[in-house]
Amino acid sequence: MKLKISIVIGLLILTVITCIHPIFPEAQILQHLGTLLLLIPLIVDLKRNKLNKQSFVGLSLFIIVHIIGARYIYSFVPYGQWSQEFLGFNVNEYFDSSRNHYDRFVHFGFGIFLFPIVFQLVGKWNSLNKVSTIIITWTILQTFSMVYELFEWLLTLVMTAAAAENYNGQQGDPWDAHKDMALAMLGSTIISLVYIITFHINKKKQPIKPQALEN
């Protein structure tokens, strides 16, 4: 429980720090509505203590990448500059890309980081075997990914073109939504395979029951 409390406090501090001298004040406020929604399950769990470590940490990691994205409204995260300072080369220049791909990374992370918490919740709601639970979890994440892209589309109908562009971070790419969903699918597929492989490895390690030997 101490670890969970420390993580939540750290996330709140990080959120406050990234809001100091905001670069894009109005857009950042809108982005942080998502931060608040993501924090609710963690804060509720501080009282109930129902989420396992993987679920709690996974959601926390996703919140961190979102907070960073909110600071720079995703399209302007200076990861190229950071890679130059810490790794000695600019990632975008290395791959000959002028687009800011931080939002792509977040959608990929969506499929990975949120898998544990959805898997745990699905497991509590049904009595299916683990492989079936993994498949259902994978399907739910694709649905969430699609619904979010529909939400972004709806925003374009009620906001100004500039405000919608700042929030959605399309950067002029007409296939942005499709690529975002594809990356979320890729992330959740990778972690699904990890879960399935781990499940089968652990199953083989389980000792044979006496009844099975008698048969």
Side-chain angles (χ1 to χ4, degrees), residues 122-143:
V122 172
K124 288 180 61 178
W125 294 335
N126 69 75
S127 57
L128 298 174
N129 60 49
K130 286 192 176 181
V131 174
S132 297
T133 303
I134 290 170
I135 294 173
I136 293 173
T137 300
W138 183 90
T139 304
I140 290 174
L141 286 171
Q142 310 324 310
T143 303

Side-chain angles (χ1 to χ4, degrees), residues 157-176:
L157 302 179
V158 298
M159 299 173 67
T160 64
E165 172 65 25
N166 285 336
Y167 183 85
N168 294 342
Q170 291 177 245
Q171 301 180 55
D173 186 353
W175 305 106
D176 180 71

Side-chain angles (χ1 to χ4, degrees), residues 40-60:
I40 289 175
L42 297 186
I43 294 174
V44 171
D45 191 58
L46 292 182
K47 181 178 180 181
R48 298 183 178 180
N49 196 28
K50 297 292 185 180
L51 294 178
N52 59 37
K53 185 178 180 180
Q54 293 86 348
S55 298
F56 201 93
V57 172
L59 180 54
S60 299

Side-chain angles (χ1 to χ4, degrees), residues 23 87-88 138 159 199 202 214:
I23 306 171
L87 301 176
W138 183 90
M159 299 173 67
F199 166 67
N202 292 335
E214 293 175 2

Side-chain angles (χ1 to χ4, degrees), residues 67-93:
I67 291 173
I68 295 172
R71 167 72 177 179
Y72 300 96
I73 60 172
Y74 285 89
S75 299
F76 302 98
V77 176
Y79 63 85
Q81 178 183 336
W82 296 341
S83 66
Q84 182 69 54
E85 293 178 357
F86 295 103
L87 301 176
F89 68 95
N90 188 303
V91 174
N92 268 9
E93 292 179 359

